[in-house]
Every structure is written in C-alpha cells, then in structure tokens.
Amino acid sequence: MATDAEPAANGHQISKLDGKAPESTDYANYFCTYSFLFHQKDMLEDHKRTGAYYNAVMQNRRQFAGKVVLDVGTGSGILAIFAAKAGAAKVYAVEATSMAKHARALVEHNGLSHVVEVIQGTIETVEVPEKVDIIISEWMGYFLLRESMLDSVLVARNRFLKPGGALYPSHARMFFQPMRSNSSHQRTAEFQRSMEGWAEFTQEMRNYYDVSMDCLNDSFREEQKEYYMQTTAWADVHPGQLLGPAACFKEYDLATVTLEELAAPLQESFTMQVMDGGPVEGFVGYFDVHFRGSKENPTDFPVQLSTAPDPTGATHWGQQSFSLWPPVQCAPGDSIVGQISVTRKKNNHRLMEVEVSHQVMTQGSGQKAALRLNKYHIE
Amino acid sequence: MATDAEPAANGHQISKLDGKAPESTDYANYFCTYSFLFHQKDMLEDHKRTGAYYNAVMQNRRQFAGKVVLDVGTGSGILAIFAAKAGAAKVYAVEATSMAKHARALVEHNGLSHVVEVIQGTIETVEVPEKVDIIISEWMGYFLLRESMLDSVLVARNRFLKPGGALYPSHARMFFQPMRSNSSHQRTAEFQRSMEGWAEFTQEMRNYYDVSMDCLNDSFREEQKEYYMQTTAWADVHPGQLLGPAACFKEYDLATVTLEELAAPLQESFTMQVMDGGPVEGFVGYFDVHFRGSKENPTDFPVQLSTAPDPTGATHWGQQSFSLWPPVQCAPGDSIVGQISVTRKKNNHRLMEVEVSHQVMTQGSGQKAALRLNKYHIE
C-alpha cells in the first residue's frame, strides 16, 4: 500500500488536504509549506514581488519614519527589515512557523534587532504590545484569494491598527480576461488518454482476476474530469494570447472589507469584450494590489504589484487558467457577459470553488447566445 | 505568498506533514491519499502485488472456504472480493476513507453483497460483529514500515482474530544490499547546484535590497543536504547493479509481533559481502512478505511477494535507495558490517528516520576500516 505520489522531502511538494480534515489540520498543513528556506527563497527571488514591496516602503519612507509597524506572516523577515530600513521606530514581525528563528537571525545579522521584534505565533493568538500605525503583509494567494490569508490581515487590522493607520498593500483587484490557449486541447486529450487507460485496466482486472470494475467507470470519469477539466492551472500567459481587454470584477479596499464579506461567497458580474473574435479557449484570472496608504496617511508614491500576463514572464503566482471546452465561438466585437462566484471549500477554507456562468452577446444587437455554466476548483 | 509546489488536484500529489501537526492531522492526510480511484488503480494494476494476493487466496481456497475473514483497509474492496470468491462465508471489509462507497458498489456489482460487508471507519474504532478466522491486509509501505499501517493490522489481530487464526500475509522481511548507482553522483551535483543558486540569490538580495542573507547559509545548506543527500529515494534497481548478496536484517512474524515492538526503534546488525568489490555507492533497501497462514492453519501453497530488484521492473513500491557519498571503497570478498536503526519520526509516526553505521571488514584478516555513520529520512 503505497502511492507513487509520495510526500517529497523538505516540502518541495506540499499538502493536499483531505475533505474531512479538521480546521487544525488545515493550519498545520498550510503553515508547514512556509517553514522551508527553499520556499522563502522562491518567493524572495520573485523580484516583481519583492521589488514592489521594497519600492512601496522605500519610496514612502516619510510614511514609515518613526512609526510602529506590524508585519503579518513575516516569513524570512524581509518586509519587517524593509520597514526598519525605512526608518520605522518599531516593527513587530509575526510568524507562525519555525521560520521565525531564521527571521530573527536575519534581523540581527542586518543590525536591526533594536527595531524589529520577531514574535512566533499566529496573528489570531499572539499579543502585540501596542497599537500600530502600519500593517504590512504579503498575503496574496493564487487568484488572490486562495489560502485565505487576508483573513489574518483583517484580524490584525481589527486587533492592532490605530484609527487612520495604513495597510500595505491597501487595495486589491481581481481580473478575468478572454484568451487563446491550447491547454484546453491538451487537457482534453490527457483526460481522454486517462479514460483509455482505465478501459485497459478494467479489461485486465476482468481477465486476470475475474472482477468487473465497470460499476466504477462513471466515478473514475468524474474524478478525472474534475482533475483535468475543472481544476484551474498555473499559467504564464503571454499577452499575445489575450483576445480582449481585462474585466475587473472585484476591488477590495483593505481598510473597510470585513471578515464576514470574505467568508461569504464572492458573486460578481463581468463583461469582457472579445476584440479579436473567438474561439475563446479559456479565461485567464489574476490580481493586482496597490500601495496607497490610508486616507489619513496616503503614500507619496503609490506603488502597484500586478500579476497580469506580461511578456517578460510571470511572477511566482503566475495566472490561473480556466479552461473552456468546447471553446466559445464569437465574432470580433462580441462580448462575453456573465457572473462569477468564488466560494471557499466547505472542508478547507483555504481552497476555492469557482462557478462561471457566461454567454456571448452579439455586438450591436445585444442578442445573447445560450448560457453556459462552468465549474472549477482552485486547489 | 504562494509556493510553486502547490497541492495538485485530485490527490495526484499528496501530503507533506508538518512536524507540528497533531496525530489527527496525520490521520486526515494519510487517509486522503487513498480516497481517489486514481491511486487505487495504481495499486491494483501493480500485478506483482495484486497477483500475489490473488494467488495467496485462490491457491488456498481450502483455508478460506466457509471462513470468516476481515480485510483491514480494503480500499477498492479487491482483497475482500478475492476472499469471497475463494468461498469465505463472510467477509468484513473495513475502510476508513470514502473509498468505502466504491468498495460497496464493486462488491454488489460482482454479486458478492451476501458475503462481503463493507464497514466505513478505522479499525481502531469500528465494531466487527464476530471474531474472524483470517485477517487479510495489504499494509506494506516503502521500506516495509513507512506508513506504520502494520499497527492497524495488529490492532485488528488483537481485537478480532480467533485463537489459531491466520494473517495474510503472515511474515515480512527487510533487506539491505550493496549496489552501484550513479544517483549519489547526481544528487551530489544537484545539491551543489542548489548551493550555487543560493549564492547567486544572496548576492542579488544584497545588490537589490541591501540585505545580507549570509547568516542563513548554513541553515539552507542543512535543509538542502537533508533533501538531496539524506533522504532515501524511490528506485527501480536492476539486479546488475547489485554488488553482493542481500542481507536480511529483520523478520516479523505477524502472529506474534507486538505493537510495543513496532513502536520501539528497530535496531539490527547486518553483514553484507561485497562479491564484486566496490566502490559501493549505495545500499538498496526493500522487503518481502510471505503468505503461510498460521501454525494451526497453514496454507497449502505458500506464496511470496517480493519487492527485490528485478530485471522485469519494480512493483509500485520500488526499492529505497540509501546513497553513500563518498562511496565505500572495498575489494572483492570484503564485507560491510554494520548496524541499522529505524525510528519513527517523533512528529509523524508514519515517516521514518534511519541510521546506518557501517565499516568495511577485509576478507580473511577480519580487520575493520573506520566506522561511518549515515543518517537518512524516509519521507
């Protein structure tokens, strides 16, 4: 009894959570990923990411000078170090995993122990000894919301941020954009190969052991269809694949969004113009975040971190590819109108279920084609 | 905040458990792997495995006819079905995961519902309504002991097996064998490349952000060394790579081994003759199991399932490769004598730590070279 897909050592592969795992499991698995320097390095050397945070802090030193800062999920401690370098009077750097000890070493090695205090624990349970002027955090997951770590930032905001204090980043947006992609073809072909493999397998089981497995055909098909056709994939989309402008379907103001709003399903409508016509073989989903400070304490130099398709290559988040099979046929100038819903998985609130209902609206006439509904898992 | 090694959908990749996860986490993660038909198919189509069980049951129908059988961890239900086909009067098939519903469907589809009763739950908690004559289970993990599922079989034995009842399999053995392998070279090279990558990374961090990461060099080296050099790897060793006969260092009689013995560290000595001389670049570890029935109810036709290196290819377990770097130099006829200890990881009893102390003993003279100690993780 062993599977070919065993846990790799050192966190080079990570967790698939069981639907029946208790909340505590989720935490344990979630955090373990971030306790390896290998992963910290991966994130740090994404210089679009690290550089955007560096710029957001160092180009706005006036906002940090003499302030009290809280870094939620500090990891290696890098954002806390930036804040200290920018002149913060005090930085509390909270980290749940054993990475905290490395953060402490890094802070000391860079001569910032008198400013940065690393606290190991979850933000939900630690005590920070004073209210803070700024909360900085790199909390974004795939398609923005995966991992649900924004919850922890809001808990920190509610517990520790002074009135008028600023969140870095301060805003986040989510996008959908129509694209051309042969991943839908590929995944369809892989799905078909997998089903052929199943057919051979059930034949063998009958021949060798006189056991008929046919009653599981549909269940296997469902399992494989979900894996190949209904699970979004990490993608580094080239802008040349895009068939029309992006539709921003959601913006979060981190100063005002509530935990209740995050816990509820996200339901938004969108309209995407398909400039170049179809076939539209997928939707690409991604996010950006903005560093604008707070209303009372705006940044001098707003900074943006975008994960949009980019000819120089993707951030470590890439984009999420939502395959469409069969592709959506439409003429140049037609639009795709629809609704997207993003729901946390019941049994693991860090993973997501997405439903996209959409239909083609003909340019000028406003006539709508048949409504299609696609379901996806963000795992 | 996202890692490139995200959980794949559908259990095509599985869990790395956190050191701090509670026991319940371990269970949740452990079992989730086995709740996908994809993985059941993987195991079922390992015909050395499935065929050995089939033969053990069907060539010993006399032992099964009219008997009450318990299948521990039935998965798809296949072993329960074999037992029923062999004439068992009643088969209880216990399965912790939602695979139980597929097992139930398969049993029904094959017309065996009047014999096989599928019970969903862990063997530690379910009630089986009567004592049984035979316990059958496919519980073996990598290097036999990984997963620690034998514990559950012994719990079943202690709770439900009649005196004189039989376990299928009844015996298990563990082996070590000296080999030639270029995986040690490869992994050493990969480790070095990884350290070069770290050096470039720390240089970048200094150049871009004026942050010195050097204080983490040793920690990163340790982390990577553990991953590349001290973690055993799945291997399909060709018998031509073997440099001498196998040393069987442990045999378990499942009728008598206790849970306490399994929980305690395994400590055994071994002597491996190196017929062809060195350099010995690794030890290959593997296991076999035997189906002999019980003393009171022996099989008519004993069956063996071996995972030893085989020119026709490995079972899905493969073998475990324990790299030696630098290789061990020895002349034809020399022996490697040593001690192996296998300990369950403190924080996840389904994973293992292995220590091998060994030295070359010169043929004839009995002189021993310097003692070496190697540590490994089985993840």
Side-chain angles (χ1 to χ4, degrees):
Chain A
M1 190 121 149
T3 60
D4 63 343
E6 288 298 309
N10 213 7
H12 285 218
Q13 292 178 356
I14 65 158
S15 312
K16 172 77 174 76
L17 301 174
D18 180 36
K20 283 172 187 161
E23 204 80 339
S24 61
T25 302
D26 174 17
Y27 271 90
N29 280 280
Y30 175 64
F31 285 127
C32 87
T33 317
Y34 292 110
S35 66
F36 291 100
L37 286 170
F38 178 86
H39 287 307
Q40 295 295 332
K41 171 173 175 282
D42 253 13
M43 293 188 289
L44 287 167
E45 69 189 355
D46 175 355
H47 292 297
K48 281 184 194 169
R49 163 196 182 270
T50 307
Y53 275 85
Y54 183 78
N55 288 340
V57 176
M58 299 306 273
Q59 293 179 11
N60 294 291
R61 291 179 205 208
R62 205 172 59 82
Q63 281 68 24
F64 280 82
K67 298 290 176 57
V68 180
V69 178
L70 171 60
D71 178 2
V72 179
T74 196
S76 63
I78 194 73
L79 302 186
I81 287 172
F82 290 170
K85 280 178 176 288
K90 184 77 193 177
V91 184
Y92 299 101
V94 174
E95 171 59 31
T97 78
S98 59
M99 188 54 55
K101 72 170 186 290
H102 294 316
R104 214 168 274 130
L106 201 64
V107 165
E108 188 167 347
H109 184 65
N110 285 273
L112 296 167
S113 297
H114 60 295
V115 179
V116 180
E117 182 178 333
V118 177
I119 303 172
Q120 186 168 359
T122 62
I123 198 69
E124 289 78 6
T125 59
V126 297
E127 281 309 320
V128 176
E130 57 185 314
K131 297 277 178 179
V132 304
D133 302 292
I134 293 174
I135 290 176
I136 190 166
S137 180
E138 198 281 81
W139 52 267
M140 297 83 76
Y142 292 148
F143 202 50
L144 191 66
L145 299 178
R146 187 181 174 283
E147 304 186 33
S148 293
M149 188 183 152
L150 180 53
D151 287 36
S152 296
V153 176
L154 299 193
V155 167
R157 179 197 69 188
N158 296 349
R159 293 188 68 194
F160 304 119
L161 190 63
K162 289 180 192 169
L167 288 144
Y168 283 68
S170 56
H171 296 79
R173 297 189 299 176
M174 299 173 75
F175 298 90
F176 237 28
Q177 203 160 358
M179 68 168 173
R180 166 175 41 232
S181 158
N182 52 24
S183 73
S184 305
H185 300 265
Q186 278 168 6
R187 287 170 85 86
T188 306
E190 281 164 5
F191 169 58
Q192 280 162 354
R193 270 198 299 278
S194 170
M195 290 310 300
E196 285 161 19
W198 175 262
E200 284 168 32
F201 159 71
T202 55
Q203 193 62 48
E204 271 179 9
M205 292 300 290
R206 184 176 293 111
N207 291 346
Y208 295 176
Y209 312 118
D210 191 27
V211 172
S212 168
M213 310 278 296
D214 299 341
C215 63
L216 299 180
N217 291 355
D218 289 348
S219 298
F220 187 78
R221 174 178 293 275
E222 278 310 298
E223 190 185 292
Q224 296 294 291
K225 192 174 155 196
E226 190 174 311
Y227 176 67
Y228 285 112
M229 312 295 287
Q230 299 180 333
T231 304
T232 62
W234 191 97
D236 181 0
V237 172
H238 190 278
Q241 295 173 249
L242 299 170
L243 297 170
C248 173
F249 62 88
K250 180 68 185 175
E251 173 157 13
Y252 289 102
D253 179 345
L254 271 60
T256 55
V257 61
T258 64
L259 284 163
E260 292 69 31
E261 188 180 340
L262 282 183
L266 167 67
Q267 286 185 304
E268 300 291 342
S269 53
F270 61 83
T271 300
M272 290 185 291
Q273 222 189 338
V274 186
M275 307 291 284
D276 298 344
V280 177
E281 293 161 318
F283 301 133
V284 54
Y286 56 90
F287 65 90
D288 65 16
V289 298
H290 297 257
F291 300 84
R292 299 185 199 134
S294 65
K295 211 184 296 174
E296 296 83 348
N297 290 289
T299 50
D300 292 329
F301 300 96
V303 169
Q304 171 181 339
L305 167 55
S306 171
T307 66
D310 182 334
T312 67
T315 65
H316 78 292
W317 287 283
Q319 297 93 33
Q320 289 286 305
S321 161
F322 297 74
S323 280
L324 290 170
W325 190 259
V328 173
Q329 302 298 337
C330 52
D334 285 356
S335 296
I336 298 177
V337 298
Q339 291 225 317
I340 181 167
S341 89
V342 183
T343 313
R344 294 178 177 185
K345 291 209 172 187
K346 276 202 195 73
N347 303 310
N348 180 353
H349 77 278
R350 297 195 188 274
L351 306 182
M352 307 285 156
E353 282 171 0
V354 178
E355 288 192 9
V356 186
S357 66
H358 55 98
Q359 56 195 143
V360 174
M361 190 167 67
T362 310
Q363 191 182 22
S365 79
Q367 278 195 321
K368 289 180 183 171
L371 191 71
R372 274 177 62 179
L373 175 65
N374 293 78
K375 296 185 184 191
Y376 303 92
H377 302 263
I378 301 183
E379 301 265 326
Chain B
M1 190 121 152
T3 60
D4 63 341
E6 289 297 311
N10 213 9
H12 284 219
Q13 290 177 354
I14 64 158
S15 312
K16 170 77 175 72
L17 301 175
D18 180 35
K20 284 171 186 159
E23 203 81 342
S24 61
T25 301
D26 174 17
Y27 271 89
N29 280 281
Y30 176 64
F31 285 128
C32 87
T33 318
Y34 293 110
S35 67
F36 291 101
L37 285 170
F38 177 86
H39 287 305
Q40 295 294 332
K41 171 173 174 284
D42 253 13
M43 293 188 291
L44 287 167
E45 69 189 355
D46 174 356
H47 292 298
K48 281 185 193 168
R49 164 196 180 269
T50 307
Y53 275 87
Y54 183 78
N55 288 341
V57 176
M58 299 306 273
Q59 294 178 10
N60 294 290
R61 290 178 207 211
R62 205 172 58 83
Q63 280 68 22
F64 281 81
K67 297 291 176 58
V68 180
V69 178
L70 170 60
D71 178 1
V72 179
T74 196
S76 63
I78 194 73
L79 302 186
I81 287 171
F82 289 170
K85 281 179 176 286
K90 183 78 193 175
V91 184
Y92 298 102
V94 174
E95 171 60 29
T97 79
S98 59
M99 190 53 55
K101 73 170 186 291
H102 293 316
R104 215 170 272 130
L106 200 64
V107 164
E108 189 166 347
H109 185 66
N110 285 274
L112 297 166
S113 296
H114 59 294
V115 178
V116 180
E117 182 178 333
V118 177
I119 304 173
Q120 186 169 358
T122 62
I123 198 69
E124 289 78 6
T125 57
V126 297
E127 282 308 321
V128 175
E130 58 184 313
K131 297 278 178 178
V132 304
D133 301 293
I134 292 174
I135 291 175
I136 190 167
S137 181
E138 198 280 81
W139 53 267
M140 298 83 75
Y142 291 149
F143 201 50
L144 190 66
L145 300 177
R146 187 180 172 286
E147 303 186 31
S148 293
M149 189 185 152
L150 180 52
D151 287 35
S152 295
V153 176
L154 299 195
V155 167
R157 179 197 69 188
N158 297 348
R159 293 187 69 192
F160 304 120
L161 190 63
K162 289 180 191 168
L167 288 144
Y168 282 67
S170 57
H171 297 77
R173 297 187 301 176
M174 298 172 76
F175 298 89
F176 237 29
Q177 203 160 0
M179 70 167 171
R180 166 176 42 232
S181 158
N182 52 23
S183 74
S184 305
H185 301 266
Q186 278 168 7
R187 287 169 86 88
T188 305
E190 281 163 6
F191 170 56
Q192 280 162 355
R193 269 198 298 278
S194 170
M195 290 311 299
E196 285 161 17
W198 176 261
E200 283 168 32
F201 160 71
T202 56
Q203 192 62 47
E204 271 178 9
M205 292 300 288
R206 185 177 293 112
N207 290 346
Y208 294 176
Y209 313 117
D210 191 27
V211 172
S212 168
M213 309 278 297
D214 299 340
C215 63
L216 300 180
N217 291 356
D218 289 348
S219 298
F220 187 77
R221 174 178 293 275
E222 277 310 298
E223 191 184 292
Q224 296 295 290
K225 193 175 154 196
E226 190 174 311
Y227 177 67
Y228 285 112
M229 313 293 289
Q230 299 180 333
T231 304
T232 61
W234 191 96
D236 182 0
V237 172
H238 189 278
Q241 295 173 248
L242 300 170
L243 297 170
C248 173
F249 62 87
K250 182 67 186 175
E251 174 157 12
Y252 289 102
D253 179 347
L254 271 60
T256 57
V257 62
T258 64
L259 284 163
E260 292 69 31
E261 188 181 340
L262 282 183
L266 168 67
Q267 285 184 304
E268 299 291 341
S269 52
F270 61 83
T271 300
M272 290 187 292
Q273 224 190 332
V274 186
M275 307 292 283
D276 297 344
V280 177
E281 293 161 317
F283 301 134
V284 54
Y286 56 89
F287 65 89
D288 66 17
V289 297
H290 297 256
F291 300 83
R292 300 186 199 134
S294 64
K295 210 184 296 174
E296 295 82 350
N297 289 290
T299 51
D300 291 330
F301 299 95
V303 168
Q304 170 182 339
L305 167 55
S306 172
T307 66
D310 182 332
T312 67
T315 66
H316 78 293
W317 286 283
Q319 298 93 31
Q320 288 287 304
S321 161
F322 296 74
S323 281
L324 290 170
W325 190 260
V328 173
Q329 303 299 337
C330 52
D334 286 354
S335 296
I336 297 177
V337 296
Q339 291 224 316
I340 181 169
S341 90
V342 183
T343 313
R344 293 177 178 187
K345 290 209 175 190
K346 275 201 193 74
N347 304 309
N348 180 352
H349 78 277
R350 296 196 189 273
L351 306 182
M352 306 284 157
E353 282 171 359
V354 178
E355 288 191 9
V356 186
S357 65
H358 55 97
Q359 57 195 141
V360 174
M361 192 166 67
T362 310
Q363 191 182 21
S365 78
Q367 277 194 319
K368 288 179 183 174
L371 192 70
R372 276 178 61 179
L373 175 66
N374 293 79
K375 296 185 185 193
Y376 302 93
H377 301 263
I378 300 183
E379 299 267 325

